[in-house]
Amino acid sequence: MQGDEKIEVSLPGGNHYRIILGSGVLDEIPSLTASMLDRKNVLIITDDNVNALYGEKALKSLQPLAANTSLISIKPGEASKTLATVEMLYHEALKSNLDRSSAIIALGGGVVGDIAGFVAATFMRGIDLIQIPTTLLAMVDSSVGGKTGVDLPEGKNLVGAFWQPRKVLIDPDALKTLPDREIRCGLAETIKYGMVLDEVFFAFLEDKISELNSLDILTYTEVIKRCCQIKADVVCRDEKEKSGLRSALNYGHTFAHAIEKATGYDKLNHGEAVAVGMCMAANLAVDDGRLDDAAELRQENLLRQLHLPCSVEFLTPEHIYDAMGKDKKIIEGKLRFVLPETIGEFSLSEVSDKDMILDAIRNCCD
Ligand code: NAD
Ligand code: GLY
């Protein structure tokens, strides 16, 4: 394993786990999990795309270590993030003889991580979970921090649980097989960290456009490391999103979830919706007198240079506004937005002026 990095996630109350990041981590799964999986029953949950690339290797490598290792593959994509998939996976877990001492491995992107995490959180009232993210988005965000769950027809991530993994194993080499569009989606979440929490990191991304556009794995390793450090710090200070700090990670997401829902989850994927959502949130922040035009323009330039969308077709502002009706960030009927104050700082604001919200959306509708 080359240049491996360890990032500690030390939660209050003694819950502690490690993120291991480095080229070749996927070849080292048995040695990196031996202490947890020895003689246990293990179920790997993945999706069909990831299975074809990495499934058999992971399965075979764990067979000598675990008492029994099984693998179940689901259909790729957000449409799988349902309670029906979860129920199917409970039955598979029983067929694979999982018990309370068993473990689930989530091998895949954020969809697999969120579903497998929720199954681990609820099967037999909670069993061990290892996250092995294979998309950039999952490496920089969803595999760390313990948010798990599924969508309902009424909206995204409306059912879920906080369930921290026991370990996160990240191999940036897996990005080499990831479609370019999915790389861009992960980049949207990395820009999010810079825009609301870390100005230095934002400037680093601006400086590395060419390396990022040419998939330079060393640069991506740096990016993943910094995002995991930021996320670990946030999660350790506000694990259950109570103080407002973790809400920063929802920057752009109130709009993004509405866009995904209004487009039936099949026009833009999550990261693209987040990119447009961040543009809408920055518009709102400018209109509300919080953010200056220059900072908004820096965000837009960075998104464009990394080939991410800053506007959405197919939808009217009213469509998007109406789709925000079931967002988890609505408290006592008021919409709450994470708004940047400057690059690297944010505030959490209730905005009740519908016209102002519609204007912020309208600027990003083609
Ligand atoms: P995804 O899991 O759908 O993966 C995207 C596509 O890439 C899929 O088709 C998948 O099969 C494929 N793929 C995965 N790894 C690959 C690889 N190495 N090579 C080739 N193909 C590969 O999408 P995503 O963007 O990873 O995750 C989006 C989901 O994550 C959304 O449901 C979102 O709500 C959730 N999310 C959760 C959190 C959290 O904190 N839990 C944070 C952000 C996003
Ligand atoms: N991605 C949002 C969070 O983990 O809180």
Side-chain angles (χ1 to χ4, degrees):
M1 202 163 61
Q2 287 166 13
D4 61 310
E5 300 275 355
K6 295 181 184 63
I7 298 149
E8 308 293 337
V9 187
S10 299
L11 293 152
N15 192 357
H16 169 266
Y17 61 96
R18 188 170 275 173
I19 303 164
I20 298 173
L21 161 67
S23 283
V25 158
L26 280 177
D27 297 319
E28 306 285 337
I29 298 174
S31 61
L32 294 170
T33 56
S35 59
M36 279 181 60
L37 301 184
D38 193 25
R39 305 289 109 221
K40 303 234 170 111
N41 287 346
V42 178
L43 177 62
I44 300 171
I45 299 177
T46 188
D47 74 24
D48 295 345
N49 296 333
V50 179
N51 189 24
L53 292 159
Y54 307 107
E56 195 176 342
K57 191 168 158 187
L59 183 65
K60 282 204 170 133
S61 74
L62 283 171
Q63 268 159 354
L65 172 73
N68 176 46
T69 313
S70 325
L71 180 148
I72 173 85
S73 180
I74 61 174
K75 264 179 72 180
E78 189 71 28
S80 287
K81 238 177 94 171
T82 61
L83 285 169
T85 307
V86 168
E87 184 174 0
M88 179 276 288
L89 291 169
Y90 292 145
H91 294 301
E92 287 298 324
L94 288 170
K95 258 196 249 166
S96 305
N97 295 319
L98 263 60
D99 59 27
R100 297 188 85 166
S101 70
S102 303
I104 283 177
I105 296 182
L107 175 69
V111 166
V112 163
D114 281 10
I115 300 171
F118 187 62
V119 173
T122 47
F123 183 74
M124 304 254 169
R125 299 203 178 86
I127 64 172
D128 283 353
L129 169 70
I130 296 175
Q131 290 274 8
I132 308 186
T134 60
T135 62
L136 181 61
L137 181 142
M139 293 177 190
V140 298
D141 194 352
S142 60
S143 64
V144 176
K147 277 192 184 174
T148 72
V150 293
D151 306 331
L152 294 180
E154 289 88 342
K156 257 182 79 90
N157 299 331
L158 289 177
V159 174
F162 286 99
W163 192 249
Q164 298 293 340
R166 295 281 314 282
K167 209 164 234 184
V168 182
L169 305 180
I170 305 180
D171 190 336
D173 285 342
L175 298 179
K176 291 176 187 164
T177 58
L178 192 64
D180 184 64
R181 186 176 174 194
E182 299 299 340
I183 297 278
R184 311 274 155 210
C185 291
L187 286 171
E189 300 280 8
T190 69
I191 294 170
K192 168 189 85 178
Y193 287 111
M195 191 65 195
V196 286
L197 290 166
D198 188 340
E199 205 272 334
V200 173
F201 180 56
F202 189 92
F204 173 86
L205 294 173
E206 288 177 315
D207 198 42
K208 296 287 179 189
I209 300 284
S210 121
E211 290 85 345
L212 292 169
N213 280 333
S214 60
L215 196 64
D216 177 66
I217 292 294
L218 279 179
T219 304
Y220 275 88
T221 306
E222 272 308 299
V223 165
I224 297 163
K225 180 179 154 190
R226 187 64 199 131
C227 292
C228 286
Q229 284 169 336
I230 299 173
K231 182 137 190 195
D233 179 56
V234 167
V235 168
C236 290
R237 288 158 63 200
D238 184 20
E239 181 186 1
K240 303 245 166 100
E241 215 168 294
K242 297 276 190 229
S243 77
L245 176 63
R246 187 165 182 169
S247 309
L249 305 180
N250 299 327
Y251 173 48
H253 283 58
T254 305
F255 294 108
H257 288 168
I259 292 168
E260 286 180 274
K261 188 182 162 207
T263 49
Y265 300 100
D266 68 355
K267 293 242 170 14
L268 278 83
N269 52 24
H270 179 70
E272 290 165 341
V274 168
V276 179
M278 290 193 296
C279 292
M280 292 175 176
N283 273 335
L284 191 55
V286 170
D287 290 349
D288 202 31
R290 295 163 185 276
L291 186 70
D292 63 37
D293 291 334
E296 185 193 17
L297 191 61
R298 269 178 81 187
Q299 173 183 276
E300 186 178 331
N301 283 340
L302 184 54
L303 288 166
R304 288 195 192 284
Q305 285 175 300
L306 294 173
H307 309 296
L308 280 157
C310 290
S311 58
V312 63
E313 295 169 47
F314 332 109
L315 295 173
T316 64
E318 287 74 18
H319 241 112
I320 299 173
Y321 184 85
D322 290 346
M324 291 199 289
K326 283 280 183 296
D327 196 276
K328 293 198 296 310
K329 290 167 283 297
I330 295 181
I331 308 232
E332 289 169 3
K334 289 193 182 129
L335 277 167
R336 284 200 313 167
F337 295 93
V338 177
L339 297 181
E341 298 274 334
T342 177
I343 293 181
E345 284 174 33
F346 76 99
S347 63
L348 201 53
S349 309
E350 280 173 4
V351 181
S352 45
D353 183 341
K354 180 176 172 184
D355 289 338
M356 201 165 144
I357 299 171
L358 282 170
D359 278 347
I361 298 175
R362 192 168 291 114
N363 283 334
C364 301
C365 286
D366 282 341

CSV table of all heavy atoms in Angstrom, one decimal, residues 140-187:
chain,number,residue,atom,x,y,z
A,140,VAL,N,-15.2,11.2,-0.2
A,140,VAL,CA,-15.0,12.5,0.4
A,140,VAL,C,-16.2,12.8,1.4
A,140,VAL,O,-16.1,13.8,2.2
A,140,VAL,CB,-14.9,13.7,-0.6
A,140,VAL,CG1,-13.7,13.5,-1.4
A,140,VAL,CG2,-16.1,13.9,-1.4
A,141,ASP,N,-17.3,12.1,1.3
A,141,ASP,CA,-18.4,12.5,2.1
A,141,ASP,C,-19.2,11.3,2.7
A,141,ASP,O,-19.2,11.1,3.9
A,141,ASP,CB,-19.3,13.3,1.2
A,141,ASP,CG,-20.4,14.1,2.0
A,141,ASP,OD1,-20.5,13.9,3.2
A,141,ASP,OD2,-21.1,15.0,1.4
A,142,SER,N,-19.9,10.6,1.9
A,142,SER,CA,-21.0,9.7,2.5
A,142,SER,C,-20.5,8.5,3.3
A,142,SER,O,-21.2,8.0,4.2
A,142,SER,CB,-21.9,9.2,1.4
A,142,SER,OG,-21.2,8.4,0.4
A,143,SER,N,-19.2,8.1,3.1
A,143,SER,CA,-18.7,6.9,3.8
A,143,SER,C,-18.3,7.3,5.3
A,143,SER,O,-18.2,6.4,6.1
A,143,SER,CB,-17.5,6.3,3.1
A,143,SER,OG,-16.4,7.2,3.1
A,144,VAL,N,-18.2,8.6,5.5
A,144,VAL,CA,-17.7,9.0,6.8
A,144,VAL,C,-18.9,9.8,7.5
A,144,VAL,O,-19.6,10.5,6.9
A,144,VAL,CB,-16.5,10.0,6.7
A,144,VAL,CG1,-16.1,10.6,8.0
A,144,VAL,CG2,-15.4,9.4,5.9
A,145,GLY,N,-19.0,9.5,8.8
A,145,GLY,CA,-20.0,10.3,9.6
A,145,GLY,C,-21.3,9.7,10.0
A,145,GLY,O,-22.0,10.2,10.8
A,146,GLY,N,-21.6,8.5,9.4
A,146,GLY,CA,-22.6,7.7,9.9
A,146,GLY,C,-24.0,8.0,9.5
A,146,GLY,O,-25.0,7.5,10.1
A,147,LYS,N,-24.2,8.9,8.5
A,147,LYS,CA,-25.6,9.1,8.0
A,147,LYS,C,-26.0,7.9,7.1
A,147,LYS,O,-25.2,7.7,6.1
A,147,LYS,CB,-25.8,10.4,7.3
A,147,LYS,CG,-26.0,11.6,8.2
A,147,LYS,CD,-26.4,12.8,7.4
A,147,LYS,CE,-26.5,14.0,8.3
A,147,LYS,NZ,-26.8,15.2,7.5
A,148,THR,N,-27.0,7.2,7.4
A,148,THR,CA,-27.5,6.1,6.6
A,148,THR,C,-28.9,6.3,6.3
A,148,THR,O,-29.6,7.0,7.1
A,148,THR,CB,-27.3,4.7,7.3
A,148,THR,OG1,-28.3,4.6,8.3
A,148,THR,CG2,-25.9,4.6,7.9
A,149,GLY,N,-29.5,5.7,5.2
A,149,GLY,CA,-30.9,5.8,5.0
A,149,GLY,C,-31.3,5.5,3.6
A,149,GLY,O,-30.5,5.2,2.7
A,150,VAL,N,-32.6,5.7,3.4
A,150,VAL,CA,-33.2,5.5,2.1
A,150,VAL,C,-34.2,6.6,1.8
A,150,VAL,O,-34.6,7.4,2.7
A,150,VAL,CB,-34.0,4.1,2.0
A,150,VAL,CG1,-33.0,3.0,2.1
A,150,VAL,CG2,-35.0,4.0,3.1
A,151,ASP,N,-34.7,6.6,0.6
A,151,ASP,CA,-35.6,7.6,0.1
A,151,ASP,C,-37.1,7.1,0.3
A,151,ASP,O,-37.3,5.9,0.3
A,151,ASP,CB,-35.4,8.0,-1.4
A,151,ASP,CG,-33.9,8.4,-1.7
A,151,ASP,OD1,-33.3,8.9,-0.8
A,151,ASP,OD2,-33.5,8.2,-2.8
A,152,LEU,N,-38.0,8.0,0.3
A,152,LEU,CA,-39.4,7.7,0.2
A,152,LEU,C,-39.9,8.4,-1.1
A,152,LEU,O,-39.3,9.4,-1.5
A,152,LEU,CB,-40.2,8.2,1.4
A,152,LEU,CG,-39.9,7.6,2.8
A,152,LEU,CD1,-40.8,8.2,3.8
A,152,LEU,CD2,-40.1,6.0,2.7
A,153,PRO,N,-41.1,8.0,-1.6
A,153,PRO,CA,-41.6,8.7,-2.8
A,153,PRO,C,-41.7,10.2,-2.5
A,153,PRO,O,-41.6,11.1,-3.4
A,153,PRO,CB,-43.0,8.1,-3.0
A,153,PRO,CG,-42.9,6.7,-2.4
A,153,PRO,CD,-41.9,6.9,-1.2
A,154,GLU,N,-42.0,10.6,-1.2
A,154,GLU,CA,-42.1,12.0,-0.9
A,154,GLU,C,-40.8,12.8,-0.8
A,154,GLU,O,-40.8,14.0,-0.8
A,154,GLU,CB,-42.8,12.1,0.5
A,154,GLU,CG,-44.2,11.7,0.6
A,154,GLU,CD,-44.4,10.2,0.9
A,154,GLU,OE1,-43.5,9.4,0.7
A,154,GLU,OE2,-45.6,9.8,1.3
A,155,GLY,N,-39.7,12.1,-0.8
A,155,GLY,CA,-38.4,12.9,-0.8
A,155,GLY,C,-37.2,12.0,-0.4
A,155,GLY,O,-37.4,10.8,0.0
A,156,LYS,N,-36.1,12.6,-0.5
A,156,LYS,CA,-34.8,11.9,-0.3
A,156,LYS,C,-34.4,11.7,1.2
A,156,LYS,O,-34.7,12.6,2.0
A,156,LYS,CB,-33.7,12.7,-1.0
A,156,LYS,CG,-33.3,12.1,-2.3
A,156,LYS,CD,-32.1,12.9,-2.9
A,156,LYS,CE,-30.8,12.5,-2.3
A,156,LYS,NZ,-30.1,11.5,-3.0
A,157,ASN,N,-33.9,10.6,1.5
A,157,ASN,CA,-33.3,10.3,2.8
A,157,ASN,C,-34.3,10.6,3.9
A,157,ASN,O,-33.9,11.0,5.0
A,157,ASN,CB,-32.0,11.2,3.0
A,157,ASN,CG,-31.0,10.9,2.0
A,157,ASN,OD1,-30.8,9.8,1.5
A,157,ASN,ND2,-30.2,12.0,1.7
A,158,LEU,N,-35.5,10.3,3.7
A,158,LEU,CA,-36.5,10.6,4.8
A,158,LEU,C,-36.6,9.6,5.8
A,158,LEU,O,-37.2,9.8,6.9
A,158,LEU,CB,-37.9,10.9,4.1
A,158,LEU,CG,-38.0,12.2,3.3
A,158,LEU,CD1,-39.4,12.3,2.7
A,158,LEU,CD2,-37.7,13.4,4.2
A,159,VAL,N,-36.0,8.4,5.6
A,159,VAL,CA,-35.9,7.4,6.6
A,159,VAL,C,-34.5,7.0,6.8
A,159,VAL,O,-33.8,6.8,5.8
A,159,VAL,CB,-36.7,6.1,6.2
A,159,VAL,CG1,-36.5,5.0,7.2
A,159,VAL,CG2,-38.2,6.4,6.0
A,160,GLY,N,-34.0,7.0,8.0
A,160,GLY,CA,-32.6,6.6,8.2
A,160,GLY,C,-32.2,6.6,9.6
A,160,GLY,O,-33.0,6.7,10.5
A,161,ALA,N,-30.9,6.4,9.8
A,161,ALA,CA,-30.3,6.3,11.2
A,161,ALA,C,-28.9,6.8,11.2
A,161,ALA,O,-28.2,6.7,10.1
A,161,ALA,CB,-30.4,4.8,11.7
A,162,PHE,N,-28.4,7.3,12.3
A,162,PHE,CA,-27.0,7.5,12.4
A,162,PHE,C,-26.4,6.2,12.9
A,162,PHE,O,-26.8,5.6,13.9
A,162,PHE,CB,-26.8,8.6,13.5
A,162,PHE,CG,-27.1,10.0,13.1
A,162,PHE,CD1,-28.3,10.6,13.4
A,162,PHE,CD2,-26.3,10.7,12.3
A,162,PHE,CE1,-28.7,11.9,13.0
A,162,PHE,CE2,-26.6,12.0,11.9
A,162,PHE,CZ,-27.8,12.6,12.2
A,163,TRP,N,-25.5,5.7,12.1
A,163,TRP,CA,-24.8,4.5,12.4
A,163,TRP,C,-23.4,4.5,11.9
A,163,TRP,O,-23.1,4.5,10.7
A,163,TRP,CB,-25.5,3.3,11.8
A,163,TRP,CG,-25.1,1.9,12.3
A,163,TRP,CD1,-24.4,1.0,11.7
A,163,TRP,CD2,-25.3,1.4,13.6
A,163,TRP,NE1,-24.2,-0.1,12.5
A,163,TRP,CE2,-24.7,0.1,13.7
A,163,TRP,CE3,-26.0,1.9,14.8
A,163,TRP,CZ2,-24.7,-0.7,14.8
A,163,TRP,CZ3,-26.0,1.1,15.9
A,163,TRP,CH2,-25.4,-0.1,15.9
A,164,GLN,N,-22.5,4.7,12.8
A,164,GLN,CA,-21.1,5.0,12.4
A,164,GLN,C,-20.4,3.7,12.0
A,164,GLN,O,-20.6,2.6,12.6
A,164,GLN,CB,-20.2,5.5,13.6
A,164,GLN,CG,-20.7,6.9,14.1
A,164,GLN,CD,-20.5,8.0,13.1
A,164,GLN,OE1,-19.7,7.9,12.2
A,164,GLN,NE2,-21.3,9.1,13.3
A,165,PRO,N,-19.6,3.7,10.9
A,165,PRO,CA,-18.9,2.5,10.5
A,165,PRO,C,-17.8,2.2,11.6
A,165,PRO,O,-17.4,3.1,12.4
A,165,PRO,CB,-18.2,2.9,9.2
A,165,PRO,CG,-18.1,4.4,9.3
A,165,PRO,CD,-19.3,4.9,10.1
A,166,ARG,N,-17.3,1.0,11.6
A,166,ARG,CA,-16.2,0.6,12.5
A,166,ARG,C,-14.9,1.0,11.8
A,166,ARG,O,-13.8,1.1,12.4
A,166,ARG,CB,-16.2,-0.9,12.8
A,166,ARG,CG,-17.4,-1.3,13.6
A,166,ARG,CD,-17.3,-1.0,15.1
A,166,ARG,NE,-16.0,-1.4,15.6
A,166,ARG,CZ,-15.6,-2.6,16.0
A,166,ARG,NH1,-16.5,-3.6,15.8
A,166,ARG,NH2,-14.4,-2.8,16.4
A,167,LYS,N,-14.9,1.1,10.5
A,167,LYS,CA,-13.7,1.4,9.7
A,167,LYS,C,-14.1,1.9,8.3
A,167,LYS,O,-15.1,1.5,7.8
A,167,LYS,CB,-12.8,0.1,9.5
A,167,LYS,CG,-11.4,0.4,9.4
A,167,LYS,CD,-10.6,-0.9,9.6
A,167,LYS,CE,-9.5,-0.7,10.7
A,167,LYS,NZ,-8.7,-1.8,10.9
A,168,VAL,N,-13.3,2.8,7.7
A,168,VAL,CA,-13.5,3.2,6.4
A,168,VAL,C,-12.2,3.0,5.6
A,168,VAL,O,-11.1,3.4,6.0
A,168,VAL,CB,-13.9,4.7,6.3
A,168,VAL,CG1,-14.1,5.2,4.9
A,168,VAL,CG2,-15.1,5.0,7.2
A,169,LEU,N,-12.3,2.2,4.5
A,169,LEU,CA,-11.1,1.9,3.7
A,169,LEU,C,-11.2,2.6,2.3
A,169,LEU,O,-12.2,2.3,1.6
A,169,LEU,CB,-11.0,0.4,3.5
A,169,LEU,CG,-10.9,-0.4,4.8
A,169,LEU,CD1,-10.8,-1.9,4.4
A,169,LEU,CD2,-9.8,0.0,5.7
A,170,ILE,N,-10.3,3.5,2.0
A,170,ILE,CA,-10.4,4.3,0.8
A,170,ILE,C,-9.2,4.0,-0.1
A,170,ILE,O,-8.1,4.3,0.2
A,170,ILE,CB,-10.5,5.8,1.1
A,170,ILE,CG1,-11.7,6.1,2.0
A,170,ILE,CG2,-10.7,6.6,-0.2
A,170,ILE,CD1,-11.8,7.6,2.4
A,171,ASP,N,-9.5,3.5,-1.3
A,171,ASP,CA,-8.4,3.3,-2.3
A,171,ASP,C,-8.7,4.3,-3.5
A,171,ASP,O,-9.5,4.0,-4.3
A,171,ASP,CB,-8.4,1.9,-2.8
A,171,ASP,CG,-7.2,1.6,-3.6
A,171,ASP,OD1,-6.6,2.5,-4.2
A,171,ASP,OD2,-6.9,0.4,-3.7
A,172,PRO,N,-7.9,5.4,-3.6
A,172,PRO,CA,-8.1,6.3,-4.7
A,172,PRO,C,-8.0,5.7,-6.0
A,172,PRO,O,-8.5,6.3,-7.0
A,172,PRO,CB,-7.1,7.5,-4.4
A,172,PRO,CG,-6.3,7.1,-3.2
A,172,PRO,CD,-6.8,5.8,-2.7
A,173,ASP,N,-7.3,4.6,-6.2
A,173,ASP,CA,-7.1,4.0,-7.5
A,173,ASP,C,-8.4,3.6,-8.1
A,173,ASP,O,-8.6,3.4,-9.3
A,173,ASP,CB,-6.2,2.8,-7.4
A,173,ASP,CG,-4.7,3.2,-7.3
A,173,ASP,OD1,-4.4,4.4,-7.6
A,173,ASP,OD2,-3.9,2.4,-6.8
A,174,ALA,N,-9.4,3.3,-7.2
A,174,ALA,CA,-10.8,2.9,-7.7
A,174,ALA,C,-11.4,4.0,-8.6
A,174,ALA,O,-12.3,3.8,-9.4
A,174,ALA,CB,-11.7,2.6,-6.5
A,175,LEU,N,-10.8,5.3,-8.4
A,175,LEU,CA,-11.4,6.4,-9.3
A,175,LEU,C,-11.0,6.2,-10.7
A,175,LEU,O,-11.7,6.8,-11.6
A,175,LEU,CB,-10.8,7.7,-8.8
A,175,LEU,CG,-11.2,8.1,-7.3
A,175,LEU,CD1,-10.5,9.5,-7.0
A,175,LEU,CD2,-12.7,8.2,-7.2
A,176,LYS,N,-10.0,5.3,-11.0
A,176,LYS,CA,-9.6,5.2,-12.4
A,176,LYS,C,-10.7,4.5,-13.2
A,176,LYS,O,-10.7,4.6,-14.5
A,176,LYS,CB,-8.3,4.3,-12.5
A,176,LYS,CG,-7.1,5.1,-11.9
A,176,LYS,CD,-5.9,4.2,-11.9
A,176,LYS,CE,-4.7,4.8,-11.2
A,176,LYS,NZ,-3.6,3.9,-10.8
A,177,THR,N,-11.5,3.7,-12.6
A,177,THR,CA,-12.6,3.1,-13.4
A,177,THR,C,-13.9,3.9,-13.3
A,177,THR,O,-14.9,3.5,-13.9
A,177,THR,CB,-12.9,1.6,-12.8
A,177,THR,OG1,-13.2,1.7,-11.4
A,177,THR,CG2,-11.7,0.8,-13.0
A,178,LEU,N,-13.9,4.9,-12.5
A,178,LEU,CA,-15.2,5.7,-12.3
A,178,LEU,C,-15.5,6.6,-13.5
A,178,LEU,O,-14.6,7.3,-14.0
A,178,LEU,CB,-15.1,6.5,-11.0
A,178,LEU,CG,-16.3,7.2,-10.5
A,178,LEU,CD1,-17.3,6.1,-10.0
A,178,LEU,CD2,-16.0,8.1,-9.3
A,179,PRO,N,-16.7,6.5,-14.1
A,179,PRO,CA,-17.0,7.4,-15.2
A,179,PRO,C,-16.7,8.9,-14.9
A,179,PRO,O,-17.0,9.3,-13.7
A,179,PRO,CB,-18.5,7.2,-15.5
A,179,PRO,CG,-18.8,5.8,-14.9
A,179,PRO,CD,-17.8,5.7,-13.7
A,180,ASP,N,-16.3,9.6,-15.9
A,180,ASP,CA,-15.9,11.0,-15.7
A,180,ASP,C,-17.1,11.8,-15.0
A,180,ASP,O,-16.8,12.6,-14.1
A,180,ASP,CB,-15.5,11.6,-17.0
A,180,ASP,CG,-15.1,13.1,-16.9
A,180,ASP,OD1,-14.0,13.3,-16.2
A,180,ASP,OD2,-15.8,14.0,-17.4
A,181,ARG,N,-18.3,11.5,-15.4
A,181,ARG,CA,-19.4,12.3,-14.9
A,181,ARG,C,-19.5,12.1,-13.4
A,181,ARG,O,-19.9,13.0,-12.6
A,181,ARG,CB,-20.7,11.8,-15.6
A,181,ARG,CG,-21.9,12.6,-15.2
A,181,ARG,CD,-23.2,12.2,-15.9
A,181,ARG,NE,-24.3,12.9,-15.4
A,181,ARG,CZ,-25.6,12.5,-15.7
A,181,ARG,NH1,-25.8,11.5,-16.5
A,181,ARG,NH2,-26.6,13.2,-15.2
A,182,GLU,N,-19.2,10.9,-12.9
A,182,GLU,CA,-19.3,10.6,-11.5
A,182,GLU,C,-18.1,11.3,-10.7
A,182,GLU,O,-18.3,11.7,-9.6
A,182,GLU,CB,-19.2,9.1,-11.2
A,182,GLU,CG,-20.4,8.3,-11.8
A,182,GLU,CD,-21.8,8.8,-11.3
A,182,GLU,OE1,-21.9,9.4,-10.2
A,182,GLU,OE2,-22.8,8.5,-12.0
A,183,ILE,N,-17.0,11.4,-11.4
A,183,ILE,CA,-15.8,12.2,-10.8
A,183,ILE,C,-16.3,13.6,-10.5
A,183,ILE,O,-16.1,14.2,-9.4
A,183,ILE,CB,-14.6,12.2,-11.7
A,183,ILE,CG1,-14.1,10.8,-11.9
A,183,ILE,CG2,-13.5,13.1,-11.1
A,183,ILE,CD1,-13.2,10.2,-10.8
A,184,ARG,N,-16.9,14.2,-11.5
A,184,ARG,CA,-17.4,15.6,-11.4
A,184,ARG,C,-18.4,15.7,-10.2
A,184,ARG,O,-18.3,16.7,-9.5
A,184,ARG,CB,-18.1,16.0,-12.7
A,184,ARG,CG,-17.4,15.8,-13.9
A,184,ARG,CD,-16.4,16.8,-14.3
A,184,ARG,NE,-15.4,16.3,-15.2
A,184,ARG,CZ,-14.1,16.7,-15.2
A,184,ARG,NH1,-13.7,17.7,-14.5
A,184,ARG,NH2,-13.3,16.2,-16.0
A,185,CYS,N,-19.2,14.7,-10.1
A,185,CYS,CA,-20.2,14.8,-9.0
A,185,CYS,C,-19.5,14.8,-7.6
A,185,CYS,O,-19.9,15.6,-6.7
A,185,CYS,CB,-21.2,13.6,-9.0
A,185,CYS,SG,-22.2,13.8,-10.5
A,186,GLY,N,-18.5,14.0,-7.5
A,186,GLY,CA,-17.7,14.0,-6.2
A,186,GLY,C,-17.0,15.4,-6.0
A,186,GLY,O,-16.9,15.9,-4.9
A,187,LEU,N,-16.6,16.0,-7.1
A,187,LEU,CA,-15.9,17.3,-7.0
A,187,LEU,C,-16.9,18.4,-6.5
A,187,LEU,O,-16.5,19.3,-5.7
A,187,LEU,CB,-15.4,17.7,-8.4
A,187,LEU,CG,-14.1,17.0,-8.8
A,187,LEU,CD1,-13.7,17.3,-10.2
A,187,LEU,CD2,-12.9,17.3,-7.8
